Amino acid sequence: MSKVTWQEVAAGVFVRRHPELELNCGLVVGDRRALVVDTRSTMARGEELAAAVREVTHLEPVVVNTHAHYDHCFGNAAFRDSQIYAHAGAADDLRATAEHQREQVMAHLLLTGRPELAEQTQQTEIVVPFYLIDSDTEIDLGGRTVHLLYGGRAHTDHDLAVAVPDAGVVFWGDLVEQGADPAMEDAFPLEWAQTLGSLMDRPQVHGAQIAVPGHGEVVDADFVLTQAEMLERLARTLEEARRRGVRDLDALAAECRGLGLQEATVRDAAMRVLEAAS
Ligand SMILES: [Zn+2]
């Protein structure tokens, strides 16, 4: 396994990709403070990330959780002395689902022969973000401003994108995914494309060429546009089938074949649409 290191994608803007789920964390360094984007999946992994941050800068870190899925925020315990930002919906969601997420992750880790990591997961204290926002918010890092942007429901009901306009970089969280399909388990498939479109139209995002997905390789604005177009086709297909009265999960999923998505992805998407309609 190659060593995990920071990649400087623009001046003072770093991405650290981790072997677990190809998860990307971000670091934006200002004159007075630094911003850490997402904290990994356990306290131990968060601590390792915090140590890596200190190798780059000794400035006080501020943290943002892009959303409340465990792989992006269970490491918060390692940043408990920092201001931790998130959408208010992320705090609600984490309070409601953290123990269920923990159980599911631990069961999966035990099933795949990783008892130490299951133990780490069990021992991780959940730290709920406490600087809560529900609309676009600026954070002044000294000499540069980052923008936490909320465009509506998409991968969850509380995804934030993090824009660094002076560097032309956007951290998309799981709003954008490289190397795997967009994850639909908690998603709003009929709204996701619209949300992406609304974010791409923001002046802080418009023209940004470097796009950091929640998982996978750093991509560009065209990649985000292509993903938005695919999500738009998915939404249109689901909506049109629903209008024709398709209510059965298998039938609805079958309508979405040929869009270039995995079977599991279209089933999750179809399930979410049926749940919302019932
Ligand atoms: Zn996620």
Side-chain angles (χ1 to χ4, degrees):
M1 194 183 302
S2 62
K3 196 174 173 318
V4 178
T5 53
W6 291 109
Q7 176 196 357
E8 190 166 17
V9 295
V13 182
F14 302 82
V15 177
R16 194 171 193 259
R17 179 136 57 105
H18 303 89
E20 76 264 11
L21 307 167
E22 301 290 323
L23 175 82
N24 288 316
C25 292
L27 175 63
V28 185
V29 181
D31 293 336
R32 289 195 315 277
R33 299 195 292 178
L35 178 78
V36 176
V37 182
D38 287 338
T39 61
R40 307 178 71 190
S41 56
T42 66
M43 171 147 173
R45 284 173 163 176
E47 282 171 342
E48 203 251 335
L49 175 66
V53 169
R54 287 192 294 273
E55 282 176 20
V56 176
T57 177
H58 283 279
L59 292 171
E60 178 198 339
V62 183
V63 174
V64 59
N65 295 146
T66 56
H67 63 295
H69 284 156
Y70 79 99
D71 45 332
H72 300 260
C73 66
F74 276 22
N76 283 0
F79 294 89
R80 58 169 68 255
D81 295 331
S82 304
Q83 296 174 358
I84 304 179
Y85 283 84
H87 190 278
D92 293 342
D93 191 85
L94 194 57
R95 270 190 289 267
T97 69
E99 290 313 320
H100 176 65
Q101 290 195 60
R102 191 205 301 270
E103 275 169 32
Q104 285 198 316
V105 173
M106 285 179 61
H108 175 72
L109 289 170
L110 290 171
L111 207 65
T112 50
R114 288 173 287 176
E116 293 91 2
L117 200 50
E119 177 77 18
Q120 255 187 41
T121 305
Q122 183 162 42
Q123 286 169 358
T124 292
E125 186 195 340
I126 306 301
V127 173
V128 178
F130 44 90
Y131 279 72
L132 303 181
I133 64 169
D134 56 15
S135 57
D136 294 359
T137 299
E138 295 181 3
I139 302 179
D140 180 7
L141 300 179
R144 81 190 323 171
T145 301
V146 293
H147 299 260
L148 312 185
L149 305 174
Y150 180 66
R153 305 198 295 187
H155 170 69
T156 66
D157 63 4
H158 56 260
D159 306 280
L160 293 181
V162 182
V164 192
D166 73 81
V169 178
V170 179
F171 293 91
W172 286 98
D174 289 356
L175 286 163
V176 175
E177 180 122 22
Q178 189 280 331
D181 283 347
M184 294 286 170
E185 293 91 335
D186 298 318
F188 297 83
L190 303 182
E191 296 164 56
W192 194 331
Q194 214 178 322
T195 296
L196 268 182
S198 145
L199 288 167
M200 285 188 290
D201 284 343
R202 301 278 213 285
Q204 304 93 334
V205 171
H206 205 80
Q209 279 308 313
I210 301 169
V212 184
H215 303 265
E217 284 173 21
V218 175
V219 291
D220 59 16
D222 281 346
F223 183 97
V224 178
L225 189 61
T226 303
Q227 190 147 102
E229 286 166 354
M230 191 269 292
L231 287 162
E232 173 67 33
R233 284 196 295 278
L234 174 69
R236 255 189 313 200
T237 305
L238 286 165
E239 233 158 29
E240 204 263 317
R242 217 175 45 159
R243 255 200 306 273
R244 277 189 281 114
V246 180
R247 292 284 180 274
D248 172 69
L249 176 61
D250 290 329
L252 196 52
E255 297 275 342
C256 303
R257 279 186 202 123
L259 293 176
L261 292 161
Q262 300 285 321
E263 180 67 19
T265 306
V266 296
R267 286 189 76 83
D268 283 343
M271 180 100 78
R272 290 291 292 166
V273 169
L274 290 172
E275 277 168 9
S278 63

